[in-house]
Amino acid sequence: MTTLRDTGEFGFIDRVTRQLGSRPDVVVGPGDDCAVVRAGDRVLLVTCDLSMESVHFRRGVVSPKEIGWKAAAAGLSDIAAMGGQPLFLITSVAAPADTDADELAEMCAGIAEAAEACGAAVIGGDVTRSPKEIVLDVTAIGEAPGGRYVLRSGAKAGDLFAVTGFPGRAAAGLDAQEQQLDLPELIRAHYHPVPRVREGQWLAAQPAVHALIDISDGPVQDGRHVAAQSGLGIAFTSASVAVDPPIADASIQTGKSIPDYVLFGGEAYELGFAVDPKEAGRVFKEFRAQFDLPVFALGQFSGAHGGVLVDGLPPAEGGFQHFL
């Protein structure tokens, strides 16, 4: 018997998607942050994300509203990673019959708040019974402004792989929560991620930006996806990691290095992008001025090798893995 531990998440996805058919109005099928479909003269972006109790969240650690917010943020971030504008969310909820109805309603309110913060609305869904734990499934539908979107597959040899914001904070926040450390800013980063919708649209409009992805599985893992789909390799350098004081505080208390958090930490919902090295300085400067948000390069794409290197060697870990 071959198990999901054997195939891994992406091996299983590849196995399933090889069997799928298509339609003429499907522009981009499985394999990117969103599917891209045409509806008349509009280009729509469609994605879904599932959050399961004991895997993605634990009740009683943060408020139910924060659980809902985070569940919605995953799909909203996928729309942002294509340079799109979120429009609608459809939410399905499964819960045991003895679930506190007020608690579950608060989770749904958190989903609605995240949608509203990104200019979207919850327009429907489904509710059913679960035998043991709560499951939140969110489908996000967005639009590519002017029909323009950016895929993972456009990186070019020599492009820099840059990231927005504060990668690593969410992973450090999870450690802080589990180890009961007094680091509320990091714990909030884990449970209240902010989808970079305006930032994604701005980046998608830059001719020097050749590929986009959200780094929810960590920069190394998601940079690997961009490289593979672009037919390239990618090399990361620990020395490129910017020192973020909150992560530095967590590093001192947990013993995990700052580069480990930044390069491999997941659930950040920041954006990673491939940018022409000749234009990178200008893009970074204008981005910082526009959004008052950090942006920095962590790696570089290469046609001389495949796969991923970190400080010249294959990494011992690759980022978050669902079935390990």
Side-chain angles (χ1 to χ4, degrees), residues 8 15 18 24 38-39 46 94 114 146 151 165 169 207 214 216 222 239 247 250 261 264 267 277 290:
R15 175 180 174 179
R18 285 199 303 267
R38 292 195 181 277
V46 185
L151 302 176
R169 281 193 180 183
D214 92 332
S216 55
D222 289 311
I247 295 178
Y261 277 126
F264 299 102
E267 299 194 269
Q290 181 78 18

Side-chain angles (χ1 to χ4, degrees), residues 126-199:
D126 189 28
V127 180
T128 190
R129 186 175 65 187
S130 164
K132 289 186 178 180
E133 296 180 305
I134 293 175
V135 180
L136 306 174
D137 186 59
V138 179
T139 295
I141 302 168
E143 184 170 17
R148 181 184 63 245
Y149 54 89
V150 178
L151 302 176
R152 300 175 176 183
S153 56
K156 301 178 181 180
D159 280 355
L160 300 179
F161 184 65
V163 294
T164 66
F166 306 97
R169 281 193 180 183
L174 179 60
D175 281 352
Q177 176 256 304
E178 291 184 338
Q179 297 179 33
Q180 298 183 326
L181 305 177
D182 185 22
L183 297 169
E185 182 177 9
L186 296 179
I187 294 173
R188 180 170 175 80
H190 181 79
Y191 285 101
H192 198 91
V194 179
R196 303 299 187 187
V197 173
R198 291 192 306 118
E199 294 87 344

Side-chain angles (χ1 to χ4, degrees), residues 55-299:
V55 176
H56 298 94
F57 65 89
R58 298 185 183 90
R59 284 189 280 173
V61 175
V62 294
S63 72
K65 191 171 285 188
E66 291 284 57
I67 291 170
W69 175 287
K70 184 182 176 186
L76 294 165
S77 182
D78 284 340
I79 301 288
M82 305 284 281
Q85 173 57 49
L87 300 175
F88 312 111
L89 298 186
I90 299 172
T91 304
S92 293
V93 177
D98 61 356
T99 299
D100 184 327
D102 290 338
E103 181 182 18
L104 195 61
E106 280 291 291
M107 292 183 192
C108 293
I111 292 172
E113 284 190 7
E116 184 177 358
C118 293
V122 178
I123 59 170
D126 189 28
V127 180
T128 190
R129 186 175 65 187
S130 164
K132 289 186 178 180
E133 296 180 305
I134 293 175
V135 180
L136 306 174
D137 186 59
V138 179
T139 295
I141 302 168
E143 184 170 17
R148 181 184 63 245
Y149 54 89
V150 178
L151 302 176
R152 300 175 176 183
S153 56
K156 301 178 181 180
D159 280 355
L160 300 179
F161 184 65
V163 294
T164 66
F166 306 97
R169 281 193 180 183
L174 179 60
D175 281 352
Q177 176 256 304
E178 291 184 338
Q179 297 179 33
Q180 298 183 326
L181 305 177
D182 185 22
L183 297 169
E185 182 177 9
L186 296 179
I187 294 173
R188 180 170 175 80
H190 181 79
Y191 285 101
H192 198 91
V194 179
R196 303 299 187 187
V197 173
R198 291 192 306 118
E199 294 87 344
Q201 292 173 10
W202 188 91
L203 289 168
Q206 306 301 311
V209 172
H210 301 146
L212 263 171
I213 192 170
D214 92 332
I215 53 172
S216 55
D217 289 333
V220 169
Q221 178 81 295
D222 289 311
R224 183 198 308 268
H225 296 323
V226 175
Q229 294 189 28
S230 302
L232 301 169
I234 185 170
F236 291 87
T237 307
S238 296
S240 299
V241 172
V243 176
D244 180 31
I247 295 178
D249 289 343
S251 178
I252 291 169
Q253 297 186 57
T254 65
K256 186 179 292 186
S257 75
I258 295 172
D260 277 350
Y261 277 126
V262 174
L263 292 175
F264 299 102
E267 299 194 269
Y269 300 113
E270 297 287 355
L271 299 178
F273 60 98
V275 59
D276 185 332
K278 296 178 182 178
E279 295 290 327
R282 175 191 61 79
V283 170
F284 293 175
K285 181 178 179 181
E286 293 179 5
F287 181 92
R288 292 183 186 114
Q290 181 78 18
F291 300 108
D292 191 27
L293 191 69
V295 60
F296 55 96
L298 282 177

